[in-house]
Amino acid sequence: MNQAIRNSWVVIVAMFMVLLVAISVIQVIAADALKNNDFNSRQLYQEFGSARGPILVDGNPIAESVESNDDFNYQRVYHDTELYSGLTGFYSLTYGATGLEDKLNRYLAGSSDGQFVDRIIELFSGTQMEGAQVELTIDPAMQELAYSVMPEGVEASVVITDPESGDILAMASKPSYDTNLLATHSGAEASANMEELQSVPGLSPYVNRPTASLPAPGSTFKLIDTVAMLESGEYQPDQVLDVPDSITLPNTSTPLGNFGGGLCGRLDEATLDEIFAQSCNTPFALAAMELGQDRIRTTAENFGFNESFDIPLTVAASQFPEDLDDAALAQSSIGQRDVKATALQMNMVAAAIANDGTMMKPQLIDTIRGSDLTLLEDVQPEVFKRSTTPEIAEQMTELMRGPLDGGTAYRAQSDRVDIAAKTGTAQLGADNDLVNSWITGFAPADDPQVAVTIVYQNIDFDTGSELTSTNLKEIMEAVVTQ
């Protein structure tokens, strides 16, 4: 071989290697940057024209991509949208992605590490790749029940979980909306629909209320106070405590009293279990000031306060503030002032007590499988916190029977199910009569199967207190005795 031919081969081989490296860079190293480039309209059309994976409940799709006759080839379609809009979120050409559509995008779009081989096959075969399918932990019957107990025209959340595994069996809220209105490929239609949705009082298409809304928890926070009291060794369920009708907060002229018209106002003293059942404010405020803010905050954080996490929906951090003086601590101890909690957070508190003091991480995803049903993710139960001891949890369970036996949750008492629960009412201001009305609990009390939390926001006291207790009873009887 003469020198000219040898040089030609060297150049050809060098050019081939450059081409191979360039392809590797484009297909592997720079792929994400190119795909996410705002000016890549081709990628935009490809994404919205791809066979995005389905989101499933009990094997049935609540979100799926179906063939369409427009430029995108596929249209994202949602089913039972009022039940599931807060979970799925939307996948919109105009407004992007929210909810699980956002958090699990890499699986649904087929771009996760576990789907790398599928992408290589797609590259060389030219076949259309399908995204992974995501199976939720949701029980469809429980989800429908949770949604149905809430009347229309309210701002409310219902969460049902399995205390032993952490599986979320239902997570519903109102007001809800039709996610298909935002998934349309018409930008004009999507914009008009978004404007209409945002005019609905209490509705935000961007927010999953049970994990993102942070209303004051009111007296459900007394679960935290009571655990702190029992853990200190200075209090026992049968211990007699003073029940002043009102106290003046330290270094202020501000009174803190018991609920007007309640039984607490008729008591001079009572045992802790009686105080818990009637949800008397003043003894808990006095106990909190006696124990100190550090103990109350530590107990709250042992139950998940002040910590955000993903399920994979992002759960907002419920809040118990720092640097409290005694007056602020007294108000915070009854779930007011700057104390805030998601519905899921207060469900986790009840579930941890139900599970012998061990808090499991809430799980919304059961499995994720490739389009060929290859298992990509199999979510297992995971301990989140060792919130308290089994002994304290047992004492708390017995105390939580009290509100149903002539206490603040008497409407939830059932002759079919042994329920343990705690109510809460958070006043929203002196200028109106609206409250946040809560109840959280579990059943059966001696062998818990489910933990249920219900909260109505910005509602009048009488309506809220009746709805929470009767809703809890209806859900517990339906779920536990099915």
Side-chain angles (χ1 to χ4, degrees), residues 31-261:
D32 288 340
L34 291 171
K35 285 182 178 181
N36 296 325
N37 191 295
D38 292 339
F39 297 100
N40 190 352
S41 59
R42 181 176 178 274
Q43 178 62 28
L44 187 65
Y45 272 83
Q46 182 178 336
E47 285 184 1
F48 281 87
S50 65
R52 192 172 176 82
I55 301 174
L56 308 173
V57 168
D58 197 26
N60 298 309
I62 60 173
E64 62 179 333
S65 293
V66 301
E67 291 187 13
S68 64
N69 296 321
D70 59 17
D71 293 339
F72 293 94
N73 299 322
Y74 285 89
Q75 170 69 58
R76 197 64 168 167
V77 174
Y78 300 91
H79 307 287
D80 296 323
T81 54
E82 289 77 10
L83 298 183
Y84 296 110
S85 63
L87 302 182
T88 63
F90 53 79
Y91 187 66
S92 170
L93 183 63
T94 306
Y95 294 103
T98 62
L100 293 176
E101 292 279 26
D102 173 39
K103 294 296 185 178
L104 296 176
N105 181 64
R106 68 188 188 280
Y107 289 107
L108 298 171
S111 59
S112 71
D113 292 343
Q115 295 161 284
F116 176 75
V117 174
D118 293 336
R119 294 198 298 276
I120 295 298
I121 294 173
E122 176 196 25
L123 177 65
F124 287 100
S125 68
T127 57
Q128 172 70 57
M129 179 179 172
E130 297 181 5
Q133 53 184 257
V134 177
E135 180 78 40
L136 305 188
T137 58
I138 297 293
D139 181 300
M142 292 191 199
Q143 183 76 4
E144 186 171 358
L145 175 62
Y147 185 81
S148 67
V149 299
M150 297 177 285
E152 297 298 326
V154 299
E155 299 174 36
S157 298
V158 177
V159 178
I160 306 175
T161 64
D162 179 339
E164 187 174 0
S165 67
D167 285 354
I168 298 173
L169 305 175
M171 180 179 282
S173 62
K174 287 186 179 178
S176 188
Y177 70 102
D178 183 354
T179 33
N180 292 302
L181 295 174
L182 301 177
T184 175
H185 290 162
S186 167
E189 288 182 11
S191 296
N193 292 338
M194 176 63 86
E195 184 176 354
E196 183 175 351
L197 290 174
Q198 291 182 325
S199 69
V200 177
L203 173 63
S204 171
Y206 295 99
V207 172
N208 178 46
R209 185 179 293 274
T211 58
S213 183
L214 288 163
S219 291
T220 57
F221 190 82
K222 291 172 184 172
L223 291 167
I224 303 296
D225 298 333
T226 308
V227 170
M229 293 165 70
L230 296 174
E231 286 180 340
S232 73
E234 299 174 19
Y235 298 87
Q236 298 298 324
D238 59 356
Q239 184 173 340
V240 176
L241 302 173
D242 291 333
V243 188
D245 188 44
S246 177
I247 61 174
T248 300
L249 297 177
N251 301 314
T252 76
S253 58
T254 304
L256 186 152
N258 297 311
F259 178 73

